[in-house]
Amino acid sequence: MTCQTVRTSPIEGQKPGTSGLRKRTAVFRQPGYLENFVQCIFDGTGGARGKTYVLGGDGRFFNREAIGTIIRMAAANGAARLIVGQNGILSTPAVSNLIRKRQTDGGIILSASHNPGGENGDFGVKFNTANGGPAPEKITDAIHARTRTIGEYRISDAAPGDISAPGRYRVEGMEVEVIDPVADYEALMRELFDFEAIAGLFGRGFRMVFDAMHAVTGPYARRILEQTLGARPGTVINAVPRPDFGGGHPDPNPVWASELVAIMEGPDAPDFGAASDGDGDRNMIMGRGAFVSPSDSLALLTAHAHLAPAYAGGLAGVARSMPTSEAVDIVARRLGIPCFETPTGWKFFGNLLDAGKATICGEESAGTGSSHIREKDGLWAVLLWLNILARDGRDIVQLRRDHWRNFGRNYYSRHDYEEIPSDAANALIADLRARLDSLAGSRVAGLTVSGADDFRYDDPVDGSVTEHQGIRIRFEGGARAVFRLSGTGTQGATLRVYLERFEGPGGDHGQQVQAALAPVIEAAGTIAGIAARTGRDAPDIIT
Ligand code: VG1
Ligand code: CO
């Protein structure tokens, strides 16, 4: 067995996006592609010598092979130890927890998250740092810079070993520790929540459905919800991770989680419905016949978090990504705690969480989490909801109605235009940017623009500045539209248009969301010239 140094040359396009490097699986399977990027992770972070990493993925096609390659590369690069999920499985939040608990130097997560998987789907690699969070831009920039100059990578020709059962073995001088992917995560959840109260809820006949979408949360949800908390068998559907996620997109929204939606809208709907995504960091929440938007869920969880033991002492602050609705801001104001607005992507919450400035964070894209780890956490959100429902007594639909009466309702929707030509998408944004100063005062679709800007984030902890994070258009009366391009897609460009309008506590909270937002939708379309520039007369996905 020898460690080999293989000559290679830079590969174009290895630039991490909103969350890691995502490409078509076929691209990742090209000889040297994964190897180059993994070597650049090591090189861009001061080398792997003597270090310990957590390694796992969401089980998608190529997961197992990639784990083998990374084990052999870490060994050849002199890493001291790898903590690997059994069968290569670890959810993103579980990795974040393990990095923190075992105080490792970081972790590598193999996932393209909500993107479809399989031979013709997507694959991805994310690097998390020692705080458990996604590498901040400073580090992803260093990794990317290295991909432009790399000349060789190191790999052992030893076998990567058997990861199908917990245990320890060596590859070259490196120790590989294979662990049960669920145990440490479950222990953490037990510390945070009132498991007894939740078990009591299920004991009283409360019914729920959790759709794991054939992705990584199946084993976690089965163990915690069914085995530990006593939810009835069959509560978790699509519970077995599959390399192609059963052919679907593991994206928990009303479009892709249509099986769950049908159950929750059916005649014998259970009390509560939830779903998670490919790598287990997103959550979708439903009541009987009702989809709870992620922005509303964030606001409600913030308002009631004190019912869970971990948050009984109150929250230091909250943070939301800029396009997320302002519903949580209103709750924060009432609670007298700060509310931070960050660019899209969990990596921007890391500093606020590390500094103790925020306790709960959330994104409109179904990501919610807290200071317990440094990633968004799908099952955590579900368990916090269950804890609240167990302690409050009202059902979720009632809780939400009361919340709107108390705080008002932020009607909210996101429209996605997928796989549009990159040139057209870039031109749309560039043109909007060029007109920002002249938009104020113009009247469109019965609304008057009160201001427009290009969101820039000044990190209050380390002073770093991140520019061009989305075009914001604000209308008189408080409505707003936000435009940005996705940083997770792998084909063409995806234009995301975020739409919001506030209806005060005494207002009409029973409208259809798209109807309530109609003037904002029309104004956004007209101002950006969406139809003319994209050639589309409707979005592909409405959430
Ligand atoms: C999307 C979401 C963003 C989320 C990111 C990663 O990014 O909008 O809120 O943090 O996905 O989520 P973008 O750049 O495509 O809008 V995950 O669960 O796919 O890692
Ligand atoms: Co995800």
PDB file of all heavy atoms in Angstrom, residues 19 22 58 92-93 111-115 126 250 252 276-282 375-376, ligand 2:
ATOM      1  N   SER A  19     -24.257  26.956  -1.266  1.00  0.00           N
ATOM      2  CA  SER A  19     -23.997  25.882  -0.309  1.00  0.00           C
ATOM      3  C   SER A  19     -23.179  24.773  -0.961  1.00  0.00           C
ATOM      4  O   SER A  19     -23.715  23.778  -1.418  1.00  0.00           O
ATOM      5  CB  SER A  19     -25.343  25.367   0.207  1.00  0.00           C
ATOM      6  OG  SER A  19     -25.170  24.282   1.059  1.00  0.00           O
ATOM      7  N   ARG A  22     -21.867  22.269  -6.436  1.00  0.00           N
ATOM      8  CA  ARG A  22     -22.888  21.372  -6.987  1.00  0.00           C
ATOM      9  C   ARG A  22     -22.743  21.289  -8.490  1.00  0.00           C
ATOM     10  O   ARG A  22     -22.646  22.311  -9.150  1.00  0.00           O
ATOM     11  CB  ARG A  22     -24.294  21.880  -6.666  1.00  0.00           C
ATOM     12  CG  ARG A  22     -24.581  21.795  -5.211  1.00  0.00           C
ATOM     13  CD  ARG A  22     -26.005  22.142  -4.892  1.00  0.00           C
ATOM     14  NE  ARG A  22     -26.044  22.419  -3.470  1.00  0.00           N
ATOM     15  CZ  ARG A  22     -27.135  22.676  -2.783  1.00  0.00           C
ATOM     16  NH1 ARG A  22     -28.309  22.683  -3.401  1.00  0.00           N
ATOM     17  NH2 ARG A  22     -27.068  22.912  -1.500  1.00  0.00           N
ATOM     18  N   ASP A  58     -25.745  12.246   1.948  1.00  0.00           N
ATOM     19  CA  ASP A  58     -27.187  11.992   2.002  1.00  0.00           C
ATOM     20  C   ASP A  58     -27.600  10.711   1.290  1.00  0.00           C
ATOM     21  O   ASP A  58     -28.782  10.455   1.119  1.00  0.00           O
ATOM     22  CB  ASP A  58     -27.965  13.211   1.477  1.00  0.00           C
ATOM     23  CG  ASP A  58     -27.690  13.493   0.007  1.00  0.00           C
ATOM     24  OD1 ASP A  58     -27.033  12.669  -0.670  1.00  0.00           O
ATOM     25  OD2 ASP A  58     -28.145  14.548  -0.480  1.00  0.00           O
ATOM     26  N   THR A  92     -26.854  16.630   7.142  1.00  0.00           N
ATOM     27  CA  THR A  92     -26.071  17.852   7.342  1.00  0.00           C
ATOM     28  C   THR A  92     -26.088  18.307   8.803  1.00  0.00           C
ATOM     29  O   THR A  92     -25.036  18.602   9.379  1.00  0.00           O
ATOM     30  CB  THR A  92     -26.574  18.950   6.380  1.00  0.00           C
ATOM     31  OG1 THR A  92     -26.157  18.591   5.058  1.00  0.00           O
ATOM     32  CG2 THR A  92     -26.039  20.318   6.735  1.00  0.00           C
ATOM     33  N   PRO A  93     -27.270  18.375   9.465  1.00  0.00           N
ATOM     34  CA  PRO A  93     -27.235  18.773  10.879  1.00  0.00           C
ATOM     35  C   PRO A  93     -26.480  17.787  11.764  1.00  0.00           C
ATOM     36  O   PRO A  93     -25.816  18.201  12.726  1.00  0.00           O
ATOM     37  CB  PRO A  93     -28.719  18.854  11.282  1.00  0.00           C
ATOM     38  CG  PRO A  93     -29.524  18.387  10.120  1.00  0.00           C
ATOM     39  CD  PRO A  93     -28.649  18.338   8.921  1.00  0.00           C
ATOM     40  N   SER A 111     -23.502  16.061  -0.667  1.00  0.00           N
ATOM     41  CA  SER A 111     -24.920  16.274  -0.944  1.00  0.00           C
ATOM     42  C   SER A 111     -25.109  17.447  -1.885  1.00  0.00           C
ATOM     43  O   SER A 111     -24.364  18.422  -1.844  1.00  0.00           O
ATOM     44  CB  SER A 111     -25.672  16.587   0.357  1.00  0.00           C
ATOM     45  OG  SER A 111     -27.016  16.932   0.058  1.00  0.00           O
ATOM     46  N   ALA A 112     -26.127  17.327  -2.723  1.00  0.00           N
ATOM     47  CA  ALA A 112     -26.585  18.494  -3.482  1.00  0.00           C
ATOM     48  C   ALA A 112     -27.935  18.896  -2.918  1.00  0.00           C
ATOM     49  O   ALA A 112     -28.759  19.509  -3.601  1.00  0.00           O
ATOM     50  CB  ALA A 112     -26.659  18.191  -4.971  1.00  0.00           C
ATOM     51  N   SER A 113     -28.160  18.506  -1.650  1.00  0.00           N
ATOM     52  CA  SER A 113     -29.335  18.926  -0.890  1.00  0.00           C
ATOM     53  C   SER A 113     -30.655  18.677  -1.609  1.00  0.00           C
ATOM     54  O   SER A 113     -30.980  17.543  -1.895  1.00  0.00           O
ATOM     55  CB  SER A 113     -29.179  20.393  -0.496  1.00  0.00           C
ATOM     56  OG  SER A 113     -30.175  20.745   0.406  1.00  0.00           O
ATOM     57  N   HIS A 114     -31.393  19.754  -1.917  1.00  0.00           N
ATOM     58  CA  HIS A 114     -32.727  19.579  -2.495  1.00  0.00           C
ATOM     59  C   HIS A 114     -32.684  19.272  -3.987  1.00  0.00           C
ATOM     60  O   HIS A 114     -33.729  19.027  -4.593  1.00  0.00           O
ATOM     61  CB  HIS A 114     -33.553  20.852  -2.254  1.00  0.00           C
ATOM     62  CG  HIS A 114     -32.936  22.052  -2.898  1.00  0.00           C
ATOM     63  ND1 HIS A 114     -31.840  22.696  -2.362  1.00  0.00           N
ATOM     64  CD2 HIS A 114     -33.225  22.710  -4.038  1.00  0.00           C
ATOM     65  CE1 HIS A 114     -31.503  23.706  -3.146  1.00  0.00           C
ATOM     66  NE2 HIS A 114     -32.321  23.741  -4.170  1.00  0.00           N
ATOM     67  N   ASN A 115     -31.508  19.305  -4.602  1.00  0.00           N
ATOM     68  CA  ASN A 115     -31.439  19.001  -6.030  1.00  0.00           C
ATOM     69  C   ASN A 115     -31.666  17.507  -6.247  1.00  0.00           C
ATOM     70  O   ASN A 115     -31.241  16.688  -5.428  1.00  0.00           O
ATOM     71  CB  ASN A 115     -30.064  19.365  -6.602  1.00  0.00           C
ATOM     72  CG  ASN A 115     -29.753  20.851  -6.525  1.00  0.00           C
ATOM     73  OD1 ASN A 115     -30.297  21.546  -5.694  1.00  0.00           O
ATOM     74  ND2 ASN A 115     -28.875  21.322  -7.374  1.00  0.00           N
ATOM     75  N   LYS A 126     -19.796  19.748   0.273  1.00  0.00           N
ATOM     76  CA  LYS A 126     -19.760  20.930   1.129  1.00  0.00           C
ATOM     77  C   LYS A 126     -18.654  20.740   2.164  1.00  0.00           C
ATOM     78  O   LYS A 126     -18.451  19.638   2.667  1.00  0.00           O
ATOM     79  CB  LYS A 126     -21.089  21.094   1.891  1.00  0.00           C
ATOM     80  CG  LYS A 126     -22.325  21.112   1.012  1.00  0.00           C
ATOM     81  CD  LYS A 126     -23.551  21.569   1.797  1.00  0.00           C
ATOM     82  CE  LYS A 126     -24.274  20.433   2.475  1.00  0.00           C
ATOM     83  NZ  LYS A 126     -25.525  20.851   3.135  1.00  0.00           N
ATOM     84  N   PRO A 250     -35.869  15.889  -3.829  1.00  0.00           N
ATOM     85  CA  PRO A 250     -36.031  15.857  -2.368  1.00  0.00           C
ATOM     86  C   PRO A 250     -36.113  17.283  -1.818  1.00  0.00           C
ATOM     87  O   PRO A 250     -35.302  17.706  -1.008  1.00  0.00           O
ATOM     88  CB  PRO A 250     -34.766  15.138  -1.905  1.00  0.00           C
ATOM     89  CG  PRO A 250     -33.748  15.492  -2.945  1.00  0.00           C
ATOM     90  CD  PRO A 250     -34.485  15.662  -4.240  1.00  0.00           C
ATOM     91  N   PRO A 252     -38.630  19.836   0.014  1.00  0.00           N
ATOM     92  CA  PRO A 252     -39.896  19.851   0.745  1.00  0.00           C
ATOM     93  C   PRO A 252     -40.677  21.146   0.516  1.00  0.00           C
ATOM     94  O   PRO A 252     -40.595  22.080   1.289  1.00  0.00           O
ATOM     95  CB  PRO A 252     -39.449  19.727   2.201  1.00  0.00           C
ATOM     96  CG  PRO A 252     -38.083  20.337   2.228  1.00  0.00           C
ATOM     97  CD  PRO A 252     -37.479  20.115   0.873  1.00  0.00           C
ATOM     98  N   SER A 276     -38.758  16.722   5.013  1.00  0.00           N
ATOM     99  CA  SER A 276     -37.405  17.278   5.021  1.00  0.00           C
ATOM    100  C   SER A 276     -36.768  17.040   3.657  1.00  0.00           C
ATOM    101  O   SER A 276     -37.354  16.377   2.805  1.00  0.00           O
ATOM    102  CB  SER A 276     -36.591  16.646   6.139  1.00  0.00           C
ATOM    103  OG  SER A 276     -35.375  17.340   6.309  1.00  0.00           O
ATOM    104  N   ASP A 277     -35.582  17.596   3.455  1.00  0.00           N
ATOM    105  CA  ASP A 277     -34.978  17.531   2.123  1.00  0.00           C
ATOM    106  C   ASP A 277     -33.866  16.494   2.031  1.00  0.00           C
ATOM    107  O   ASP A 277     -33.673  15.696   2.950  1.00  0.00           O
ATOM    108  CB  ASP A 277     -34.463  18.909   1.713  1.00  0.00           C
ATOM    109  CG  ASP A 277     -33.218  19.307   2.496  1.00  0.00           C
ATOM    110  OD1 ASP A 277     -33.087  18.865   3.643  1.00  0.00           O
ATOM    111  OD2 ASP A 277     -32.386  20.067   1.951  1.00  0.00           O
ATOM    112  N   GLY A 278     -33.155  16.499   0.911  1.00  0.00           N
ATOM    113  CA  GLY A 278     -32.118  15.517   0.631  1.00  0.00           C
ATOM    114  C   GLY A 278     -31.182  15.289   1.795  1.00  0.00           C
ATOM    115  O   GLY A 278     -30.972  14.160   2.241  1.00  0.00           O
ATOM    116  N   ASP A 279     -30.620  16.352   2.347  1.00  0.00           N
ATOM    117  CA  ASP A 279     -29.598  16.211   3.386  1.00  0.00           C
ATOM    118  C   ASP A 279     -30.110  16.535   4.783  1.00  0.00           C
ATOM    119  O   ASP A 279     -29.331  16.635   5.730  1.00  0.00           O
ATOM    120  CB  ASP A 279     -28.380  17.079   3.050  1.00  0.00           C
ATOM    121  CG  ASP A 279     -28.728  18.557   2.965  1.00  0.00           C
ATOM    122  OD1 ASP A 279     -29.878  18.879   2.602  1.00  0.00           O
ATOM    123  OD2 ASP A 279     -27.862  19.398   3.266  1.00  0.00           O
ATOM    124  N   GLY A 280     -31.433  16.730   4.911  1.00  0.00           N
ATOM    125  CA  GLY A 280     -32.028  16.813   6.254  1.00  0.00           C
ATOM    126  C   GLY A 280     -31.954  18.158   6.933  1.00  0.00           C
ATOM    127  O   GLY A 280     -32.216  18.260   8.135  1.00  0.00           O
ATOM    128  N   ASP A 281     -31.606  19.222   6.196  1.00  0.00           N
ATOM    129  CA  ASP A 281     -31.517  20.509   6.887  1.00  0.00           C
ATOM    130  C   ASP A 281     -32.752  21.391   6.670  1.00  0.00           C
ATOM    131  O   ASP A 281     -32.901  22.413   7.320  1.00  0.00           O
ATOM    132  CB  ASP A 281     -30.220  21.259   6.533  1.00  0.00           C
ATOM    133  CG  ASP A 281     -30.010  21.440   5.049  1.00  0.00           C
ATOM    134  OD1 ASP A 281     -30.879  21.013   4.255  1.00  0.00           O
ATOM    135  OD2 ASP A 281     -28.965  22.001   4.665  1.00  0.00           O
ATOM    136  N   ARG A 282     -33.629  21.003   5.747  1.00  0.00           N
ATOM    137  CA  ARG A 282     -34.837  21.818   5.532  1.00  0.00           C
ATOM    138  C   ARG A 282     -36.052  21.180   6.188  1.00  0.00           C
ATOM    139  O   ARG A 282     -36.059  19.979   6.467  1.00  0.00           O
ATOM    140  CB  ARG A 282     -35.133  21.959   4.037  1.00  0.00           C
ATOM    141  CG  ARG A 282     -34.081  22.707   3.293  1.00  0.00           C
ATOM    142  CD  ARG A 282     -34.570  22.976   1.890  1.00  0.00           C
ATOM    143  NE  ARG A 282     -33.539  23.668   1.132  1.00  0.00           N
ATOM    144  CZ  ARG A 282     -33.781  24.384   0.045  1.00  0.00           C
ATOM    145  NH1 ARG A 282     -35.019  24.488  -0.422  1.00  0.00           N
ATOM    146  NH2 ARG A 282     -32.803  24.978  -0.592  1.00  0.00           N
ATOM    147  N   GLU A 375     -25.937  24.676  11.471  1.00  0.00           N
ATOM    148  CA  GLU A 375     -26.617  24.421  10.210  1.00  0.00           C
ATOM    149  C   GLU A 375     -28.103  24.543  10.456  1.00  0.00           C
ATOM    150  O   GLU A 375     -28.565  24.454  11.594  1.00  0.00           O
ATOM    151  CB  GLU A 375     -26.324  22.992   9.701  1.00  0.00           C
ATOM    152  CG  GLU A 375     -24.932  22.788   9.122  1.00  0.00           C
ATOM    153  CD  GLU A 375     -24.827  23.222   7.658  1.00  0.00           C
ATOM    154  OE1 GLU A 375     -25.801  23.802   7.124  1.00  0.00           O
ATOM    155  OE2 GLU A 375     -23.766  22.985   7.058  1.00  0.00           O
ATOM    156  N   LYS A 376     -28.860  24.710   9.400  1.00  0.00           N
ATOM    157  CA  LYS A 376     -30.295  24.596   9.556  1.00  0.00           C
ATOM    158  C   LYS A 376     -30.609  23.127   9.817  1.00  0.00           C
ATOM    159  O   LYS A 376     -29.809  22.253   9.492  1.00  0.00           O
ATOM    160  CB  LYS A 376     -31.029  25.142   8.340  1.00  0.00           C
ATOM    161  CG  LYS A 376     -30.620  24.597   6.988  1.00  0.00           C
ATOM    162  CD  LYS A 376     -31.278  25.431   5.902  1.00  0.00           C
ATOM    163  CE  LYS A 376     -31.132  24.831   4.529  1.00  0.00           C
ATOM    164  NZ  LYS A 376     -29.954  25.350   3.815  1.00  0.00           N
TER     165      LYS A 376
HETATM  166 CO    CO B   2     -30.548  20.887   2.310  1.00  0.00          CO
END
